[in-house]
Amino acid sequence: MSKFLREQYQNLEPYTPGEQPKTDNLIKLNTNENPYGPGPRTKAAISGEQVSKLMLYPDPEASELVEAISQYYELEKEQVMVGNGSDEILAFSFMAFASEGAKVYFPDPSYGFYKVYADIYHSRANPVPLTEDLRINPDHYKNLDGTIIIANPNAPTGIALNLNDIEAILSSNRSNLVIIDEAYIDFGAKSCVPFLTKYDNLLVIQTFSKSRSLAGARVGFAMGGKEVISDLNRIKFSFNPYNLNRLSILAAAEAIRDEAYFQQTRQKIIRTREKFTEELKALGFTVLPSAANFVFARSGRLSGKDYFTGLRERNILVRYFGKEPISDFVRITIGREEDMEQLICATRELLGKGI
Ligand SMILES: *Cc1c(COP(=O)(O)O)cnc(C)c1O
């Protein structure tokens, strides 16, 4: 730490990203990336001609992408804004709506960044514990007095709330902004975007990182009432107007237009998840009911740490959080069928050895 760092940042605990290994001899199931990669249409959108335009600034409004998203969700353009990953949109949201002493409520455990953003923007963070079976109890979010942020499905559990529960939260918090982080929505839960016609206190955040195979392009988006979106744009244009690069705008716009590839890959992942879940259960694991592209699972016989380490020694990378109440769980991204088969083999081996 240098002597120049402001005091208020000296105790900041940064977000810990999952490992991005430098070698490619690992089966990488630790950061919920999509195993199938961008589709052919998306790849073709990044032509040499487009690369040769990189000396020009991108469109600060990313109009092509905003239009493609608004058409997909049947919204007006003014109801959509895009960010450098949904993480940036979350940061803008904390800045705009929950900074400097404002209260913010979010489940715990949930996506680790909520706490980090609350810290860096000086929100008053109110983590709301999950129930004993690691679910969100919607009653804990009724009639609150601050911004609410809920990942649906939740991470790292994968468990989704149904739309009735979300609507009950929205209708009992008319004076609070309710942010629903739908990073994993395309793997089995229902989006609450249709509630935008009825609730001006709703902001929905999604990403191209998971279901649309573009984690490396860094593209996220927010959908909300025109006024809320205009607030977010006020922050964006005060922070980094060119937040999306030219190539990412093109790739994401093509990815959202290519419905066939999207359906094909997301359904493959859902099928693999269901099969893999059954196999893990047959080996005695507790597997939470996932509506995401990962499962959160606990062996009755191996500790979370030993399971994580044993898999790592067999070149399989999963995510281990090592904190209560989830210290015996690991989070396993759903990869290709053959990746999951290898993981099952390695698991059998570990159980056989009884580590
Ligand atoms: C992956 C993830 C994000 C961030 O996604 P990016 O768009 O890649 O920044 C946000 N929220 C949750 C719950 C996630 O799991």
Side-chain angles (χ1 to χ4, degrees):
M1 195 178 293
S2 80
K3 62 188 179 210
F4 308 112
L5 184 67
R6 301 286 297 150
E7 197 180 326
Q8 72 254 39
Y9 298 128
Q10 291 177 3
N11 292 319
L12 194 64
E13 242 186 80
Y15 177 74
T16 320
E19 183 183 348
Q20 294 294 343
K22 301 286 183 290
T23 58
D24 51 11
N25 64 345
L26 283 174
I27 299 181
K28 190 173 180 307
L29 304 173
N30 68 332
T31 52
N32 300 341
E33 288 139 327
N34 193 309
Y36 296 112
R41 281 176 51 179
T42 302
K43 284 191 252 183
I46 314 290
S47 62
E49 188 193 337
Q50 294 299 340
V51 173
S52 68
K53 286 189 188 159
L54 282 177
M55 74 290 203
L56 301 173
Y57 280 105
D59 169 12
E61 263 135 31
S63 307
E64 181 180 350
L65 176 55
V66 166
E67 263 166 45
I69 295 167
S70 52
Q71 275 179 17
Y72 187 85
Y73 279 105
E74 299 180 348
L75 298 168
E76 293 183 57
K77 296 197 297 289
E78 296 77 16
Q79 294 185 275
V80 177
M81 68 92 68
V82 294
N84 194 291
S86 52
D87 288 339
E88 188 186 56
I89 296 187
L90 286 167
F92 290 164
S93 304
F94 271 82
M95 240 190 276
F97 308 116
S99 56
E100 307 306 331
K103 285 190 186 167
V104 58
Y105 294 84
F106 49 82
D108 180 33
S110 187
Y111 186 44
F113 241 133
Y114 303 152
K115 172 71 169 59
V116 177
Y117 286 138
D119 287 348
I120 198 167
Y121 294 118
H122 308 123
S123 323
R124 266 196 280 162
N126 293 269
V128 182
L130 299 181
T131 61
E132 213 154 283
D133 54 355
L134 300 178
R135 289 174 179 273
I136 289 172
N137 180 345
D139 291 339
H140 294 166
Y141 297 85
K142 306 242 170 92
N143 302 305
L144 296 182
D145 54 354
T147 301
I148 296 167
I149 172 154
I150 294 177
N152 190 44
N154 194 19
T157 62
I159 300 176
L161 280 178
N162 65 45
L163 287 185
N164 288 340
D165 287 334
I166 291 184
E167 181 158 27
I169 294 170
L170 285 166
S171 66
S172 71
N173 285 285
R174 287 284 191 170
S175 332
N176 302 313
L177 186 68
V178 178
I179 302 173
I180 305 293
D181 178 350
E182 295 190 334
Y184 300 104
I185 200 69
D186 297 320
F187 300 106
K190 278 217 165 69
S191 172
C192 62
V193 166
F195 288 146
L196 287 174
T197 52
K198 213 165 145 191
Y199 295 97
D200 65 0
N201 57 326
L202 170 63
L203 180 68
V204 184
I205 298 180
Q206 291 192 9
T207 176
F208 282 78
S209 294
K210 278 85 186 217
S211 58
R212 296 183 193 275
S213 285
L214 286 175
R218 311 303 304 124
V219 186
F221 56 106
M223 297 172 282
K226 288 183 189 179
E227 288 173 352
V228 168
I229 294 300
S230 144
D231 295 342
L232 285 176
N233 272 318
R234 178 186 291 260
I235 302 287
K236 165 187 146 152
F237 281 91
S238 309
F239 186 91
N240 181 11
Y242 303 112
N243 60 340
L244 253 70
N245 69 72
R246 299 183 75 91
L247 302 181
S248 293
I249 293 172
L250 290 168
E254 198 52 39
I256 202 158
R257 289 186 205 114
D258 192 349
E259 181 69 8
Y261 185 77
F262 167 71
Q263 290 298 347
Q264 189 192 325
T265 47
R266 93 185 169 99
Q267 272 153 18
K268 263 205 268 197
I269 291 167
I270 292 171
R271 278 198 302 272
T272 306
R273 179 187 70 212
E274 296 309 300
K275 180 165 173 244
F276 174 67
T277 299
E278 289 315 306
E279 288 172 342
L280 269 189
K281 283 183 176 168
L283 292 175
F285 277 71
T286 302
V287 187
L288 301 188
S290 171
N293 68 338
F294 58 82
V295 296
F296 204 47
R298 164 166 60 93
S299 158
R301 291 172 45 204
L302 293 166
S303 75
K305 183 143 199 247
D306 287 343
Y307 186 43
F308 167 80
T309 310
L311 290 175
R312 188 76 175 77
E313 284 162 5
R314 286 159 181 77
N315 292 330
I316 301 173
L317 198 50
V318 300
R319 191 85 196 261
Y320 173 63
F321 295 95
K323 58 167 193 178
E324 291 309 325
I326 54 172
S327 62
D328 269 334
F329 282 84
V330 298
R331 192 195 67 192
I332 306 169
T333 302
I334 302 300
R336 291 184 221 93
E337 285 275 328
E338 57 267 33
D339 301 331
M340 307 325 282
E341 274 159 28
Q342 288 212 40
L343 189 146
I344 291 290
C345 281
T347 304
R348 281 212 186 91
E349 214 176 282
L350 288 165
L351 290 169
K353 283 192 179 167
I355 298 175

